[in-house]
Amino acid sequence: MDCVFCGIVAGRVPSTTVRDEDDVLAFRDIRPVAPTHVLIIPKRHIPSLADVGPDDWPVVFRALRVAKELAESLNLRAGYRIVANVGPEGGQTVGHLHWHLLAGRPMGWPPG
Ligand code: 5GP
Ligand code: ZN
């Protein structure tokens, strides 16, 4: 399967790891849109939040826990945003479930 995030998990694609847990990986986005821009993914391939099945909820929980703990360890005291883009209209460009952790500048609303 040709999935860039699976390539990162397997070590075939270089990335800057921020957190490496049993079934969750966090790494820096290659094209950051904020001073802090980390991607948090389940290591196993799940295409998007729309594809999360009954057995996947534990890893979803752990990914969100990693997001919250990273916000603490990166000292994002002023706030941050967690984003999951889902599907083409949701702006998803990589078909492997991920959350963006964005911080370091004020975030606008509504999102683009
Ligand atoms: P999406 O648009 O699917 O919500 O987010 C995909 C994100 O993955 C984008 O922010 C994009 O910059 C990032 N990305 C795409 N390819 C790579 C890569 O090879 N390495 C890293 N670190 N990030 C990537
Ligand atoms: Zn994948």
Side-chain angles (χ1 to χ4, degrees):
M1 192 189 351
D2 189 21
C3 170
V4 65
F5 288 178
C6 283
I8 287 173
V9 169
R12 289 192 305 273
V13 176
S15 70
T16 303
T17 301
V18 179
R19 183 77 74 90
D20 189 349
E21 298 211 343
D22 284 350
D23 53 3
V24 175
L25 186 68
F27 54 91
R28 302 272 175 194
D29 196 293
I30 202 169
R31 286 182 292 273
V33 298
T36 296
H37 190 169
V38 174
L39 299 172
I40 301 146
I41 69 167
K43 288 186 177 177
R44 70 170 177 271
H45 186 86
I46 302 168
S48 84
L49 197 63
D51 302 291
V52 166
D55 295 340
D56 299 322
W57 289 114
V59 75
V60 170
F61 168 84
R62 284 190 284 274
L64 287 176
R65 179 174 53 71
V66 165
K68 189 261 192 190
E69 291 173 359
L70 279 180
E72 288 165 1
S73 61
L74 296 172
N75 289 317
L76 307 181
R77 292 197 189 87
Y80 54 91
R81 183 169 290 180
I82 307 283
V83 176
N85 298 322
V86 181
E89 200 158 319
Q92 186 175 4
T93 59
V94 173
H96 181 130
L97 176 61
H98 56 281
W99 287 266
H100 299 254
L101 172 61
L102 301 160
R105 63 168 172 81
M107 300 288 156
W109 193 266

